[in-house]
Amino acid sequence: MKRKILAVTFFIGLLILTACGNTEGESNGGEEEKSEPSNKWEEIQEAGEIVVGTSGTLYPASYYPEDSDKITGYDVEIVKEMAKRLDLNVSFEIMGIDSMLSSVDSGRIDLVANDIEITDERQKNFAFSEPYKYSYATMIVREDDLSGIQTLEDLEGKIAGGGATTVFSQIAKHFGAEIKTYTNVTNDVYLRDVENGRTDLVMNDYYLQSLALEALPEIDVTLHPDLRFHPSEQALVMQKDAEVFHEKINQVLTEMREDGTLKELSEQFFGGKDASTPPDKEIKEIEGLDL
């Protein structure tokens, strides 16, 4: 794995990140005025392209390789292939996670592709495609003592590095952890802070954390060997009432799953792992937490 991961921002939850996981600024409208209702699919066909909101900084979902101005990533390449099969062009608008959902709601963009997790709350306001990634949460801890964490209940009083409003921070706070927030720093900063004791853990998506550790083997941190929790599904996001567009997207995703394209792209970007199907491990559900 190239060390290019150092050049991209590690969005804790979005990543995430999705991840991928921001929970503020998601109600209808946000700071933008919502456009009048229209047939989204007809608009897209007339324009001849799909306009997609993405971060360009979330490795390996959406990023710019070192010394390149061409965006790529698992989510990005899925959308490129979808557009090709729909005989459309695709353009990417780079924006922060807080802007993506309000922009799709207002009609400024047609689709969000950025490792966004499907949640009940988001489904009240947006339509999601069929999942193209299945994952779960884990945590990076110190290698010598696992940061004193054996169970999720041991998060009480610990310090978790992450975004203030992410799904992962919600989980950490639910178990009594304090959240230390950052502004656009790279992977090594998060991991070094765990190593030197400024924080105790970084909670995030399993696949994203695995890649971060592979890129930075010199830092004495590790994935917790026993804690796997909060199973998640990631999907493309579009306007709630874009019914025909929604149907078209799902048709193409089904084709890509059946012909092996999703598996091939996943293995390309996730170090040979197939994230396009649910994991075969037992994953703990978090109870008593409304995400």
Side-chain angles (χ1 to χ4, degrees):
M1 179 67 62
K2 294 182 180 178
R3 292 175 62 97
K4 63 188 177 186
I5 194 172
L6 285 170
V8 298
T9 303
F10 186 35
F11 279 108
I12 299 303
L14 198 342
L15 250 348
I16 332 150
L17 3 107
T18 164
C20 273
N22 195 297
T23 57
E24 288 193 354
E26 295 177 3
S27 60
N28 283 345
E31 296 180 354
E32 300 187 31
E33 256 181 59
K34 182 165 182 169
S35 59
E36 290 298 318
S38 60
N39 189 320
K40 175 57 70 175
W41 177 240
E42 287 184 2
E43 283 184 6
I44 291 169
Q45 284 185 304
E46 183 176 347
E49 72 171 4
I50 304 174
V51 181
V52 181
T54 193
S55 67
T57 56
L58 181 59
Y59 183 87
S62 167
Y63 68 100
Y64 289 91
E66 191 173 0
D67 301 322
S68 174
D69 60 358
K70 186 176 181 181
I71 194 169
T72 188
Y74 181 52
D75 295 46
V76 168
E77 296 303 326
I78 286 174
V79 172
K80 287 180 182 178
E81 178 63 22
M82 285 176 43
K84 179 180 176 182
R85 296 187 186 203
L86 290 169
D87 196 28
L88 294 166
N89 295 320
V90 60
S91 64
F92 293 94
E93 288 209 13
I94 305 305
M95 57 181 64
I97 180 65
D98 289 337
S99 301
M100 291 178 196
L101 296 179
S102 61
S103 292
V104 79
D105 187 53
S106 70
R108 174 183 167 189
I109 61 175
D110 305 315
L111 202 64
V112 175
N114 204 66
D115 201 56
I116 301 293
E117 180 180 339
I118 302 171
T119 67
D120 291 340
E121 188 64 29
R122 289 173 177 159
Q123 286 180 312
K124 294 176 183 177
N125 298 318
F126 303 96
F128 283 83
S129 70
E130 293 296 318
Y132 56 82
K133 177 174 171 244
Y134 298 83
S135 189
Y136 55 91
T138 183
M139 63 181 75
I140 289 174
V141 292
R142 284 185 288 280
E143 193 162 21
D144 57 351
D145 64 350
L146 304 182
S147 299
I149 299 168
Q150 300 301 324
T151 68
L152 288 172
E153 286 69 25
D154 292 333
L155 292 177
E156 179 76 37
K158 301 294 185 184
I159 301 175
T165 62
T166 65
V167 166
F168 303 107
S169 290
Q170 285 187 70
I171 295 171
K173 286 190 287 187
H174 177 73
F175 287 99
E178 174 188 343
I179 309 302
K180 174 179 171 58
T181 60
Y182 299 77
T183 302
N184 283 3
V185 296
T186 50
N187 299 359
D188 60 317
V189 175
Y190 286 104
L191 302 194
R192 294 272 183 212
D193 276 5
V194 174
E195 179 187 44
N196 62 33
R198 288 193 181 95
T199 60
D200 298 300
L201 67 132
V202 176
M203 188 182 295
N204 210 298
D205 174 87
Y206 161 72
Y207 291 104
L208 300 185
Q209 292 200 316
S210 296
L211 290 170
L213 290 180
E214 288 177 16
L216 298 163
E218 71 279 8
I219 302 178
D220 291 330
V221 293
T222 186
L223 280 181
H224 199 291
D226 303 317
L227 298 181
R228 292 180 288 270
F229 49 95
H230 184 57
S232 61
E233 299 177 348
Q234 282 72 29
L236 303 169
V237 189
M238 62 210 83
Q239 285 182 335
K240 183 77 170 177
D241 59 358
E243 295 179 2
V244 178
F245 184 41
H246 191 192
E247 181 180 338
K248 296 289 184 182
I249 292 294
N250 280 339
Q251 286 175 351
V252 177
L253 276 175
T254 298
E255 291 172 8
M256 292 171 66
R257 185 179 303 282
E258 291 176 349
D259 66 21
T261 301
L262 288 183
K263 181 176 186 291
E264 180 180 339
L265 288 172
S266 175
E267 290 175 345
Q268 175 184 343
F269 288 100
F270 292 110
K273 297 181 177 73
D274 183 10
S276 70
T277 57
D280 58 2
K281 300 175 181 178
E282 183 177 351
I283 313 299
K284 178 182 175 65
E285 293 274 6
I286 304 296
E287 301 199 2
L289 181 60
D290 185 19
L291 297 174

